[in-house]
Amino acid sequence: MDEDVRNFGITLGRAVLSKSWQEVYGMLAPWLRNVQSVESVQKFFEDEYRSTLQANRIEGLHYPEYPEPELGGNGFTKATQLREPISFAGGKVRCIAPEMIDANTRYWMSMKLLCSDEQIESLNFDFFCEVWIAVVESTEGLRAGYWSQGAY
């Protein structure tokens, strides 16, 4: 992963972890901002937190407390591949904006938001969500051109 892509992922993850939803919204590509709002960005994360908590029979809303995101992914996946049916998800096709093309797709990034050691012990799981992000080059710099909870 190139250093600028890693820095983008770290900055995005830290903004999510600090609940700076306006900042997270600003890190979306223009075409994604056209179909999202600050509130829907917050909902994107909090709904996944709730789902994880409910699956573990935990009441109330908790937020990941580990201060850094865990980043991974691959630089070989481009927009063309992301538009192909997903074999492990029953042939589901991702809704990728036409503005996202192979030439501007830099990295298919995995970003996990982790529990603190105390949360691991009390909640009995180790991460709240794993977001997959197509990091793209835009006129504004690196942005999230597509994202999903899980790799689909």
Side-chain angles (χ1 to χ4, degrees), residues 2 24 39 49 56-57 63 66 94 96 99 115 148:
D2 291 340
V24 175
E39 294 77 19
Y49 301 164
N56 287 279
R57 298 181 184 0
Y63 293 85
Y66 193 79
R94 296 176 187 93
I96 305 290
E99 295 90 344
C115 295
S148 64

Side-chain angles (χ1 to χ4, degrees), residues 8 27-33 82 95-97 99-100 104-105 107-108 133-137 142-147:
F8 173 81
M27 296 182 78
L28 303 179
W31 56 85
L32 203 48
R33 287 195 309 262
L82 292 173
C95 185
I96 305 290
E99 295 90 344
M100 202 173 111
N104 67 9
T105 303
Y107 202 79
W108 183 227
I133 304 156
V135 179
V136 298
E137 193 73 54
L142 294 179
R143 295 291 183 263
Y146 171 83
W147 63 5

Side-chain angles (χ1 to χ4, degrees), residues 10 13 22 24 34 43 89 119 148:
I10 289 169
Q22 183 69 45
V24 175
N34 286 338
K43 185 175 175 7
Q119 284 181 313
S148 64

Side-chain angles (χ1 to χ4, degrees), residues 82-96:
L82 292 173
R83 287 188 174 89
E84 294 172 358
I86 308 166
S87 60
F88 63 85
K92 177 184 175 181
V93 177
R94 296 176 187 93
C95 185
I96 305 290

Side-chain angles (χ1 to χ4, degrees), residues 117-130:
D117 290 342
E118 295 81 17
Q119 284 181 313
I120 292 171
E121 195 165 309
S122 66
L123 302 175
N124 206 28
F125 60 87
D126 57 358
F127 69 95
F128 276 79
C129 67
E130 180 178 22

Side-chain angles (χ1 to χ4, degrees), residues 103-116:
N104 67 9
T105 303
R106 289 280 306 278
Y107 202 79
W108 183 227
M109 177 183 288
S110 165
M111 180 179 74
K112 282 187 181 180
L113 302 179
L114 308 170
C115 295
S116 65

Side-chain angles (χ1 to χ4, degrees), residues 71-86:
L71 303 178
N74 74 68
F76 299 105
T77 302
K78 297 295 182 195
T80 302
Q81 288 94 354
L82 292 173
R83 287 188 174 89
E84 294 172 358
I86 308 166

